[in-house]
């Protein structure tokens, strides 16, 4: 599947992982990252991934496949030093000497 990551609107970054589980099965994982949903949707269609994934032939055979998508929610970032007077350790304000 990672050969599709070179198509238009490909992910900006991807990672691969492999492990052998307790039953001796090999698990290969490709984790891809897009900057926005629109680019992912375009890639999903233009790369042929959607057509391949939706094909009934893909679901037959000896290899099991799982597809998951997640979309992180945007939240405002909070400054960890907002209450500087109450900060401890490296977050505490330092006094300067002249």
């Amino acid at each position: 599947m990672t050969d599709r990551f070179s198509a238009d609107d490909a992910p900006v970054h991807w990672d691969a992982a492999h492990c052998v589980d307790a039953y001796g099965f090999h698990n290969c994982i490709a984790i891809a990252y897009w900057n926005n949903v629109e680019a992912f949707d375009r890639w999903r269609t233009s790369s042929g991934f959607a057509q391949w994934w939706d094909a009934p032939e893909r679901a037959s055979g000896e290899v099991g496949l799982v597809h998951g998508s997640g979309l992180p929610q945007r939240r405002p970032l909070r400054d960890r030093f907002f209450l500087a007077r109450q900060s401890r350790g490296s977050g505490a304000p330092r006094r300067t000497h002249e």
Side-chain angles (χ1 to χ4, degrees):
M1 177 173 35
T2 58
D3 58 331
R4 297 178 193 274
F5 292 165
S6 61
D8 289 339
D9 291 308
V12 294
H13 179 76
W14 64 274
D15 293 312
H18 170 261
C19 70
V20 178
D21 64 23
Y23 298 100
F25 292 103
H26 290 261
N27 296 272
C28 299
I29 303 166
I31 306 164
Y33 304 88
W34 281 264
N35 285 336
N36 58 66
V37 175
E38 296 79 17
F40 169 73
D41 288 340
R42 287 190 305 269
W43 170 84
R44 190 174 188 280
T45 303
S46 67
S47 70
F49 177 81
Q51 182 179 1
W52 169 77
W53 185 259
D54 294 338
E57 301 82 35
R58 182 205 47 83
S60 62
E62 297 181 15
V63 176
L65 300 167
V66 177
H67 174 261
S69 298
L71 180 63
Q73 299 298 313
R74 289 185 180 238
R75 288 182 281 229
L77 296 176
R78 297 187 182 198
D79 186 359
R80 83 176 238 189
F81 303 117
F82 181 72
L83 300 173
R85 284 179 277 163
Q86 296 176 6
S87 297
R88 305 261 189 285
S90 64
R94 302 280 186 228
R95 294 183 187 209
T96 58
H97 299 283
E98 296 180 2

